[in-house]
């Protein structure tokens, strides 16, 4: 029997919206002229960013404005921050105090100073004079205060510590291991404020070029009504299942994660509907909140839009965005698969009732969802054929033919939607809950998919830049917002076209405002993180930190990864995901790659960056500061700390996956074919389901301890077949160093050869090992191929010595950690050739056989238990 009542929520709807506003957009919304000024500023910022991303920006904005767009970006952010975010809890919310006006204007002036006095700064070679350094110092202090208001104290405190280290790093009170010579105020301010090494560096550049457009895209899509549409679809598809509201929360959050980009906003948007329904079917307040937290936070790792950190990866790793989201797809997808299974097991363990009376076979539900996502992906891919046809038939007219075709598709889908009633937001506390019927409601919002298809098409098929892709998708959203209501009124025979057009215009303006205010915190986070990155480049403390972490880990890669994960979690308790990612990846990403190479493991840089990113998002879950957990507890009325711990337990698969894909890069679809990728996804899905069953203590029935341990072991074998395979058959055949040239000559182009190098460390002169991977280039002989690689070998004293590679050659960077001019030479120790052995996938057979045995045992036990229950 389904409960008809639910516990009273601790927060009202208004309080929840205030919670989201205070964390994402600022808690202050004054009325009157000041409110209008803030709205106009936000709209102006959004329009400026749209123009900046447009393909005709050179015709719309002066070149000096484009070149200094980061200064304008930060100016808007600081100005809005001091107006929108109160200084303290006791500060007024309904008006802006005089001191905040002063701080807003001063902060804006400091941010735009580089543009206003650009010629003077250039003439000085970027070296700050007395005025410049005072403005820069004031700008940094104002930036830290704005970041404190918008992001909490942790970001400002950490940045202040790094800034203090620049000036006082030579003090005797600083531990000798990290002591440095220090810098003058002029040098520090020049580096951090007047050049592109600090505040106005790469993180703020990515925020300016890419991130804003995606945040704006999400805000506009939400205003269009797509959020409610996705939630209803998920609830209609899964609500009838056991634990259906929780499963709908998972899928709905995966969809709205694309829209909101904020864990807290995602929790409140979907949670106000799903959490009360989860409680109605038997989830505790903490469990209901935890499911919403785990699914909402993971929205940041779900392609094709993964938040600001994904765009930073493009710059840090040096690969196209399409590769970033390709590598991230399998871990993100199976993470959501596991979360659906977690809530299913919770529902089965508690024998929870179902909502409604509609009975749909589970196979139909799974098949329908798979068909929807597969059909959507196929549609995005198939778009290239009509586009190619139009481009070939009318190459000069494709620029207007394609938009007309898109407009006709929109008109057709809107005509279908106009025949359906508009979707209203359901009341989760109603006495009788009516499940939406997917076949009745899906037609009402199909046109919402068009902007997403445009975005995915430009990103994945055309492989345009993220900024340009988001620009075209955003332009389509502008058109949809302006026209959907008046066109629906026309198609329904209603006469209030003017009112509907004005309503659409208000939606556009509201979306522009929301986009700008949601970006304020992100812009401040990237700017403040630039101080940390600038400190690392100025002082060289990154190498010291790397040596310290390497010392603490004892040179063990697993221990090193645990330290990096812990550091990400610790910093993430006070930093937003983006800032956390910037700090940890700047300090430690290259160290993990190097330490892996010393251990003989070639770790791709993208794997390390995703590792840091995954642990960064976990900070939104982890007590005692997990903000998403506090938001969910506010909705559910449960205890925030218990909600956080439960959410962390539900997120164990998000913690485990990064360790898996560091050692098994197949999960990141690196160097795999399409069919191999499909097979990897199937096996990974089975593995994550088995891991979930093992950690939840329930498979077909309640598991015994040894069964849970075996299930975890099976999942490990499915995730890491190479671990067992390498112990049966060594993965490489070792050859003498003197054979390197011969083996290169005999290898086929594109083959992989690994070389073990030994030599003195550049900093410590201690001998260390390093394994480098060679992708065999084209060439008629081994000597020619060595020349193309920039490797010069010298056989001498019974060793194969290695000369320092020339700058610009493939191994100049990887081998730069060695001192080629020390007393001890850098030598090639051995050459490793991939062994000809049986495929590692054979490990799957005994693992799956053991899984079948456990399933058979549990099935028999479940049957006996059912027979023992009295009728």
């Amino acid at each position: 029997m389904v409960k008809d009542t639910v516990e009273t929520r601790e927060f009202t709807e208004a309080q929840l919206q205030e919670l989201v506003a205070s964390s994402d957009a600022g808690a202050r919304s004054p009325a009157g002229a000041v409110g209008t000024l803030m709205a106009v500023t936000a709209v102006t910022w959004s329009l400026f960013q749209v123009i900046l991303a447009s393909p005709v920006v050179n015709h719309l904005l002066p070149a000096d404005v484009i070149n200094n767009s980061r200064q304008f970006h930060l100016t808007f952010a600081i100005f809005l921050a001091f107006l929108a975010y109160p200084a303290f809890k006791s500060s007024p919310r309904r008006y802006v105090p005089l001191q905040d006006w002063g701080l807003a204007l001063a902060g804006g002036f400091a941010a735009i100073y580089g543009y206003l006095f650009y010629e003077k700064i250039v003439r000085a070679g970027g070296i700050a004079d007395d005025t410049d350094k005072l403005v820069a110092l004031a700008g940094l202090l104002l930036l830290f205060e704005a970041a404190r208001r918008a992001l909490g104290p942790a970001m400002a405190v950490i940045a202040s510590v790094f800034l203090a280290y620049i000036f006082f790093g030579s003090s005797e009170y600083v531990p000798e291991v990290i002591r440095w010579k220090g810098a003058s105020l002029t040098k520090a301010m020049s580096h951090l404020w007047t050049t592109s090494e600090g505040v106005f560096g790469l993180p703020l550049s990515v925020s300016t070029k890419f991130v804003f457009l995606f945040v704006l895209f999400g805000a506009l899509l939400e205003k269009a009504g797509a959020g409610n549409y996705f939630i209803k679809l998920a609830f209609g598809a899964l609500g009838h299942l056991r634990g259906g509201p929780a499963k709908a929360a998972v899928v709905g959050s995966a969809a709205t994660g694309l829209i909101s980009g904020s864990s807290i906003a995602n929790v409140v948007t979907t949670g106000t509907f799903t959490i009360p329904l989860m409680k109605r079917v038997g989830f505790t307040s903490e469990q209901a909140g935890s499911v919403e937290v785990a699914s909402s936070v993971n929205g940041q790792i779900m392609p094709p839009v993964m938040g600001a950190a994904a765009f930073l990866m493009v710059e840090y790793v040096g690969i196209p965005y399409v590769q970033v989201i390709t590598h991230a797809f399998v871990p993100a997808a199976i993470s959501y698969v596991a979360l659906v299974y977690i809530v299913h097991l919770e529902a089965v363990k508690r024998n929870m009732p179902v909502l409604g009376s509609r009975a749909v076979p589970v196979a139909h539900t799974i098949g329908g969802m798979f068909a929807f996502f597969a059909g959507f992906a196929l549609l995005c891919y198939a778009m290239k054929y009509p586009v190619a046809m139009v481009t070939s038939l009318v190459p000069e007219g494709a620029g207007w033919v394609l938009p007309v075709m898109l407009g006709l598709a929109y008109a057709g889908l809107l005509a279908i939607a106009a025949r359906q009633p508009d979707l209203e937001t359901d009341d989760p506390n109603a006495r009788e809950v009516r499940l939406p019927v997917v076949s009745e409601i899906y037609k009402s919002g199909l046109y919402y998919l068009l902007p997403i298809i445009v975005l995915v098409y430009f990103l994945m098929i055309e492989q345009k830049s993220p900024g340009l892709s988001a620009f075209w998708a955003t332009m389509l959203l502008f058109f949809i917002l302006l026209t959907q209501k008046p066109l629906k009124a026309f198609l329904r025979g209603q006469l209030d076209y003017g009112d509907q057009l004005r309503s659409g215009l208000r939606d556009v303006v509201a979306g522009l405002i929301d986009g700008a205010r949601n970006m304020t915190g992100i812009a401040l986070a990237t700017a403040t993180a630039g101080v940390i990155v600038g400190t690392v480049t100025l002082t060289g403390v990154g190498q010291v930190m790397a040596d310290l972490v390497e010392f603490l880990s004892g040179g063990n890669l697993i221990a090193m990864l645990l330290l990096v994960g812990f550091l990400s979690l610790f910093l993430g308790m006070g930093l937003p995901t983006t800032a956390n990612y910037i700090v940890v990846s700047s300090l430690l990403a290259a160290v993990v790659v190097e330490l892996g190479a010393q251990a003989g493991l070639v770790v791709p840089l993208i794997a390390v960056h995703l590792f840091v990113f995954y642990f960064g998002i976990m900070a939104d879950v982890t007590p005692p500061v997990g903000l998403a957990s506090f938001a969910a507890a506010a909705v559910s009325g449960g205890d925030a700390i218990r909600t956080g711990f439960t959410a962390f337990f539900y997120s164990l698969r998000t913690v485990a996956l990064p360790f898996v894909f560091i050692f098994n890069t197949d999960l990141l679809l690196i160097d795999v074919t399409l069919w191999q990728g499909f097979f990897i996804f199937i096996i990974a899905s089975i593995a994550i389901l088995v891991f979930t069953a093992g950690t939840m203590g329930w498979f077909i029935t309640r598991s015994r301890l040894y069964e849970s341990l075996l299930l975890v072991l099976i999942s490990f074998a499915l995730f890491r077949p190479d671990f067992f395979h390498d112990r049966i058959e060594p993965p490489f055949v070792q050859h003498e160093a003197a054979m390197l040239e011969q083996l290169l000559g005999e290898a086929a182009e594109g083959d992989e050869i690994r070389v073990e190098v030994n030599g003195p460390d550049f900093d410590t002169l201690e001998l260390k090992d390093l394994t480098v991977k060679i992708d065999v280039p084209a060439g008629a002989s081994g000597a020619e191929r060595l020349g193309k690689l920039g490797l010069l070998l010298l056989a001498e004293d019974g060793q194969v010595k290695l000369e320092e590679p020339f700058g610009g050659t493939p191994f100049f960077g990887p081998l730069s950690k060695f001192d080629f001019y020390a007393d001890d030479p850098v030598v090639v120790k051995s050459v490793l050739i991939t062994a000809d052995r049986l495929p590692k996938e054979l490990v799957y057979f005994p693992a799956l056989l053991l899984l079948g045995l456990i399933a058979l045992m549990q099935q028999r036990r479940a049957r006996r238990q059912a027979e023992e229950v009295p009728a």
Side-chain angles (χ1 to χ4, degrees):
M1 187 72 182
V2 179
K3 298 177 185 178
D4 288 333
T5 60
V6 288
E7 299 173 41
T8 303
R9 282 183 289 169
E10 187 172 315
F11 277 33
T12 65
E13 182 67 27
Q15 289 172 318
L16 289 173
Q17 294 306 320
E18 184 178 347
L19 173 66
V20 176
S22 62
S23 60
D24 286 345
R28 187 185 282 150
S29 294
V34 176
T36 302
L37 174 64
M38 291 173 62
V40 169
T41 303
V43 170
T44 304
W45 187 15
S46 292
L47 292 177
F48 170 76
Q49 296 287 164
V50 171
I51 294 171
L52 194 64
S54 74
V56 293
V57 60
N58 293 323
H59 302 288
L60 300 175
L61 292 176
D64 56 342
V65 172
I66 298 172
N67 294 335
N68 291 278
S69 56
R70 304 177 199 183
Q71 280 86 348
F72 283 93
H73 186 76
L74 185 58
T75 299
F76 279 114
I78 288 184
F79 184 76
L80 279 177
F82 281 115
L83 297 186
Y85 290 90
F88 306 103
K89 290 183 178 179
S90 58
S91 299
R93 298 300 197 262
R94 299 303 176 191
Y95 68 93
V96 180
L98 187 61
Q99 64 270 21
D100 283 358
W101 279 108
L103 293 174
L105 293 172
F109 172 76
I112 203 69
Y113 181 83
Y115 167 74
L116 297 176
F117 299 94
Y118 178 75
E119 292 185 3
K120 185 190 81 165
I121 293 172
V122 170
R123 283 197 302 269
I127 303 300
D129 60 20
D130 290 341
T131 303
D132 296 340
K133 68 183 181 184
L134 291 177
V135 171
L137 181 60
L140 283 174
L141 297 177
L142 290 166
L143 172 63
F144 292 172
E145 169 58 15
R148 182 196 68 80
R149 295 187 182 199
L151 308 168
M155 185 83 221
V157 169
I158 293 173
S160 299
V161 169
F162 275 81
L163 183 62
Y165 174 70
I166 292 178
F167 300 121
F168 306 110
S170 60
S171 169
E172 62 181 12
Y173 297 106
V174 175
E176 187 174 354
V177 68
I178 61 171
R179 193 177 301 167
W180 87 298
K181 62 182 181 180
S184 66
L185 181 62
T186 299
K187 183 176 181 180
M189 294 303 101
S190 299
H191 190 82
L192 295 179
W193 198 266
T194 61
T195 71
S196 59
E197 295 293 328
V199 169
F200 299 100
L202 181 62
L204 190 64
S205 173
V206 171
S207 176
T208 305
K209 291 193 296 184
F210 303 143
V211 179
F212 193 106
L213 262 290
F214 280 84
V215 172
L216 179 61
F217 174 79
L220 293 172
L221 198 57
E222 174 64 30
K223 286 297 176 186
N228 186 42
Y229 175 69
F230 290 146
I231 293 172
K232 279 186 172 290
L233 280 181
F235 191 53
L238 301 170
H240 62 280
L241 301 176
R242 182 169 290 183
K247 294 170 183 173
V250 174
V251 176
S253 293
T256 54
L258 168 71
I259 296 173
S260 71
S262 162
S263 302
I264 298 171
N266 202 347
V267 165
V268 173
T269 300
T270 58
T272 50
F273 177 69
T274 57
I275 288 175
L277 290 175
M278 282 189 260
K279 292 167 66 177
R280 290 181 75 152
V281 298
F283 285 92
T284 66
S285 297
E286 287 75 20
Q287 285 177 325
S290 300
V291 170
E292 187 59 53
V293 169
S295 53
S296 295
V297 167
N298 272 23
Q300 294 183 66
I301 65 173
M302 193 68 190
V305 181
M306 298 166 54
F311 305 111
L312 286 161
M313 281 183 212
V314 172
E315 304 295 333
Y316 285 147
V317 183
I319 60 177
Y321 184 71
V322 64
Q323 289 188 28
V324 171
I325 57 181
T326 299
H327 296 323
F329 173 74
V330 171
I334 65 175
S335 182
Y336 270 105
V337 168
L339 191 53
V340 171
Y341 191 47
I342 285 172
V343 298
H344 171 74
L345 292 178
E346 286 284 12
V348 171
K349 284 161 62 175
R350 295 171 176 270
N351 194 26
M352 293 181 183
V354 297
L355 286 176
S357 57
R358 189 168 80 246
V360 179
V362 175
H364 289 184
T365 300
I366 296 174
M369 291 186 62
F370 177 80
F372 174 79
F373 287 109
F376 178 76
L378 185 62
L379 181 62
C380 293
Y381 180 78
M383 283 289 293
K384 71 177 185 178
Y385 295 107
V387 171
M389 183 181 69
V390 170
T391 305
S392 62
L393 292 176
V394 283
E396 296 183 358
W400 61 266
V401 173
L402 291 174
V404 168
M405 292 174 61
L406 184 62
L408 291 174
Y410 166 62
L413 294 176
L414 192 68
I416 294 173
R419 300 190 190 103
Q420 317 298 321
D422 291 334
L423 297 179
E424 301 291 338
T425 303
D426 293 327
D427 179 10
N429 297 312
R431 178 174 293 275
E432 182 179 351
V433 177
R434 182 181 180 275
L435 295 177
V437 180
V438 174
S439 60
E440 296 176 0
I441 66 170
Y442 82 95
K443 298 178 182 178
S444 63
L446 284 174
Y447 63 94
Y448 293 136
L449 299 178
L450 288 177
I452 303 174
I453 291 173
V454 169
L455 177 66
V456 174
Y457 173 78
F458 277 106
L459 280 175
M460 302 292 291
I461 309 302
E462 292 286 341
Q463 296 193 17
K464 300 294 186 183
S465 72
L468 187 60
S469 303
F471 169 78
W472 288 118
T474 301
M475 294 306 292
L476 178 56
L477 265 175
F478 281 142
F479 180 72
I480 290 175
L481 279 165
L482 285 171
T483 60
Q484 63 172 346
K485 291 181 178 179
L487 285 179
K488 278 184 180 180
F490 172 76
L491 292 169
R492 291 169 176 168
Q494 300 169 351
L495 301 178
D496 55 342
Y497 313 135
D499 291 341
Q500 297 298 337
L501 181 61
R502 284 188 289 273
S503 176
L505 184 60
R506 286 193 294 269
D507 288 340
V508 170
V509 172
L512 292 171
I513 294 171
D514 288 351
R517 295 191 64 163
N518 291 343
M519 256 311 291
T520 303
I522 299 174
L524 295 173
T526 53
T528 311
V531 175
I532 299 168
V533 175
T535 302
V536 172
T537 58
L538 178 63
T539 65
V541 70
Q543 183 58 47
V544 177
M545 290 287 292
D547 294 340
L548 179 61
V549 172
E550 186 174 345
F551 170 76
L552 292 174
S553 65
N556 182 278
L557 185 58
I558 293 291
M560 167 70 125
L561 292 173
L562 288 171
L563 280 171
V564 172
F566 175 77
L567 181 62
S568 297
L569 283 175
F570 179 76
L571 289 176
M573 290 181 184
L575 301 184
T577 304
T578 304
N580 184 3
Y581 165 75
I582 293 170
V583 174
V584 180
S585 63
S586 299
L587 291 174
L588 297 174
V591 185
V592 175
V593 174
E594 181 184 349
L595 190 59
Q598 291 179 29
L601 178 69
V602 178
V603 182
L605 190 57
I606 182 63
V608 182
H609 279 264
L610 284 172
F611 182 96
V612 173
F613 181 42
Y614 267 59
F615 275 92
I617 68 167
M618 285 302 299
D620 273 351
V621 177
T622 311
V625 191
L627 296 179
S629 298
F630 278 87
V635 178
S636 69
D639 180 77
I641 300 299
R642 287 174 58 191
T643 298
F645 278 114
T646 307
F648 186 83
F649 175 71
Y650 286 165
S651 300
L652 279 178
R653 82 267 180 240
T654 308
V655 176
L657 279 174
F659 287 96
V660 173
F661 61 60
I662 284 286
F663 293 95
N664 181 11
T665 57
D666 286 353
L667 277 178
L668 302 181
L669 302 182
I670 295 177
D671 297 328
V672 299
T673 64
L674 177 64
W675 290 110
Q676 286 174 329
F678 183 75
F679 178 74
I680 289 167
F681 177 74
I682 297 298
I683 292 296
S685 298
I686 296 173
I688 200 70
L689 292 174
V690 174
F691 176 79
T692 301
T695 54
M696 293 292 290
W698 192 286
F699 186 29
I700 294 174
T701 187
R702 189 174 301 278
S703 298
R704 291 168 178 163
L705 179 60
Y706 71 88
E707 291 175 333
S708 293
L709 294 175
L710 285 175
L711 288 171
V712 173
L713 178 64
I714 291 168
S715 75
F716 180 77
L718 296 176
F719 274 132
R720 289 283 317 278
D722 55 299
F723 179 83
F724 300 98
H725 190 214
D726 292 349
R727 280 146 184 80
I728 299 172
E729 291 184 286
F732 299 103
V733 177
Q734 189 168 2
H735 296 271
E736 295 293 330
M739 296 184 64
L740 175 57
E741 182 176 330
Q742 176 187 339
L743 292 169
L744 266 176
E746 295 173 353
E749 182 182 347
D751 281 358
E752 177 185 308
I753 295 178
R754 299 190 180 200
V755 178
E756 290 184 330
V757 182
N758 176 269
D761 183 83
F762 187 84
D763 297 308
T764 65
L765 296 182
E766 294 181 1
L767 294 178
K768 69 175 183 179
D769 293 328
L770 184 71
T771 301
V772 295
K773 185 179 73 168
I774 295 177
D775 293 320
V776 178
S781 66
E784 182 182 347
R785 287 172 169 176
L786 278 173
K788 288 187 175 182
L789 294 168
L791 298 176
L792 181 61
L793 306 179
L794 179 64
E796 190 176 79
D797 302 328
Q799 296 177 310
V800 178
K801 298 180 180 179
L802 193 62
E803 297 292 328
E804 182 178 17
F806 291 109
T809 57
F811 292 98
F812 176 75
L815 297 179
S816 63
K817 299 294 184 182
F818 291 112
D819 189 339
F820 286 86
Y821 304 99
D823 294 335
D824 294 306
V826 180
V827 299
V828 176
K829 286 182 62 178
S830 63
V831 183
L832 303 175
I833 304 293
T834 303
D836 184 14
R837 56 182 186 159
L838 295 171
K840 65 182 180 182
E841 287 76 14
L842 290 175
V843 174
Y844 294 150
F845 288 102
L848 293 174
L849 186 63
L850 181 57
L851 177 63
L853 181 62
I854 294 174
L856 183 62
M857 292 166 52
Q858 289 208 2
Q859 195 172 40
R860 289 179 176 175
R861 192 161 72 245
R863 191 180 300 118
R864 288 198 306 269
Q865 291 170 350
E867 291 172 353
E868 292 171 1
V869 175

